[in-house]
Amino acid sequence: MTDEISNEALVQRFPGEPITHDNAAHYRGRLRRQLLVNRCDSCGAWHAPAKPICPDCWSSRVTPTSVSGNGTIFMAIFLHQGPPAEGVDYSTPYPVVTVELQEQAGLRITSTVVGASNADITIGAPVRLEWQERAGSPMPVFALRSAANA
Amino acid sequence: MPDSRNPMKDRVAIAGASTTGFIAKNLERSQTSLAAEACVDVIRKSGIDRSEIDGICGSYPTAAVMQSTLGIPELTWSGNPFIPLVDHIATAAAAIHAGLCNVVLVYHAAYRVSWNTGSALKDPFRRISTPGLSDPHPGPETMASSAGYTGWASRYMHEYGVSREDFGLVAMNSRRNAAQNPGAALREPMTMDDYLAARMIRWPLCLLDMDVAVDGADAFILTTADRARDLPLPPVLINAAVLGQDRHNEEDQTVSLRQHGQQVVIETLKAKGDFWLDDIDLYYPYDGFTPITLNWIENAGWCEPGMGGKFLREHWDDASSRVLINGRIPMNTHGGSLSEGGTQGSGHIREAVHQLQGLAGDRQVAGARRALLTIGGFFFNAQGLMLHTG
Ligand SMILES: [Zn+2]
């Protein structure tokens, strides 16, 4: 797309993130609040984090593709200390979760959970994608998904 | 599929091992200084002349710096592998077996780096020498590296319905063994109450679930089994070595607790080696993080998945307040990375060598002849080593 920002500007928007030619589309997607995960055009498998080829069939036709953002918590830890980050206050242990996405078994992404008390952030809990700002750029996060707001 | 070919089996020996001992504070010394102390000691004790060394293998400092520091005249081979230390032992042994060199000096300096400890951060020389110190941190929302072990610890507790006490048993065993090791960093007694009261770092793992950052170094001499038989110390033969990796080596993409590098290691050791659990006298599972140890115990086949804590309780020797498997096999006799210090596996190997040579002092296991070492984590650096006295 011609309206997308330059590589130089992209790196500026995500200081510290390990942006490469292989995952730049994922970060451009974040700027549009779109969570993109690489999917193989040949065999249909999803892969995270981004790789330049499909590890299953070696096709180089991999396309950054939107995921629903729905999944369940697979691992959950609570940081009592950690690196400084905007909006993160470790006085209440900060949750970090790996979410297994509904698109494919074993396809997981790691972020945090917002708007929930730590006692409710448990392995197996269903979640949905949300976005929050981190240093002026959108960051994918998760919210607990109850029957009411699923 | 594991390959049973092992032409190197028992053809290469560890002829000697030395250590500076480890301390959980910021010694006013460089890595080169620490490594040099261990290297000079191991060269002397192994009974070789430095001019015989034609291979050098270590991570930092480089082989070239180590060679010039020690005044070693000529090399025909060097290697700078990544940690943990079975990388170094296996690479050096392969080079000897292939005829690239005959006598290899392997060294490893553990070093408190500036992004790890506050005291190291205050040392301007350490700030300069610490790689990546000024790199931006990726942020809190990651399961990479040590956070990944914490994530899988949460998964372990969830899948098997066990509590943090199971992790605590690993730490208690290491601490009790360290009490017998004058070179260990942490030697004071530790109870389960101490463990449960320790400062939480990333739930479910606390300070005592993680290896202790230390200064110190280990060094080894490797040569052919034939050459080693002429040297003063008893040769320790390398029966099998493996560096195991699974395809899914990003920590949060790892398939499950039952599919990662450890399974590759165990199956390969069984295929290549000559002895197994019933035949060993010493067991060294890695303990850089307590859940790694429980996984190693289970994957090695000592017990069923999820039963690692139960196994440790059943094999706990009340008289010595530590694990004695089947009443006789101790686990991490030096105190492991949790209490001797975070040596990235070199401590486990050096201790096994010393035990097999009868040089382990107060903690010597009488008549120890065979050791199984399952070192490294499980995502991308699981490793195994089988050593024996022939
Ligand atoms: Zn494919």
Side-chain angles (χ1 to χ4, degrees), chain A residues 69-124:
Chain A
N70 288 330
T72 55
I73 296 177
F74 183 81
M75 301 192 286
I77 67 178
F78 298 90
L79 308 186
H80 289 238
Q81 62 185 63
E86 187 183 286
V88 178
D89 169 12
Y90 297 103
S91 62
T92 300
Y94 183 66
V96 175
V97 298
T98 293
V99 169
E100 180 135 329
L101 298 172
Q102 70 177 23
E103 275 75 10
Q104 181 179 296
L107 179 70
R108 304 180 195 134
I109 72 163
T110 294
S111 185
T112 189
V113 174
V114 296
S117 79
N118 282 355
D120 296 328
I121 301 170
T122 55
I123 292 174

Side-chain angles (χ1 to χ4, degrees), chain A residues 56 78 81 94 108 110 134, chain B residues 141 199 203 252-254:
Chain A
D56 285 338
F78 298 90
Q81 62 185 63
Y94 183 66
R108 304 180 195 134
T110 294
R134 165 75 57 83
Chain B
E141 298 86 3
R199 181 159 57 92
W203 185 94
D252 53 3
Q253 307 294 322
T254 298

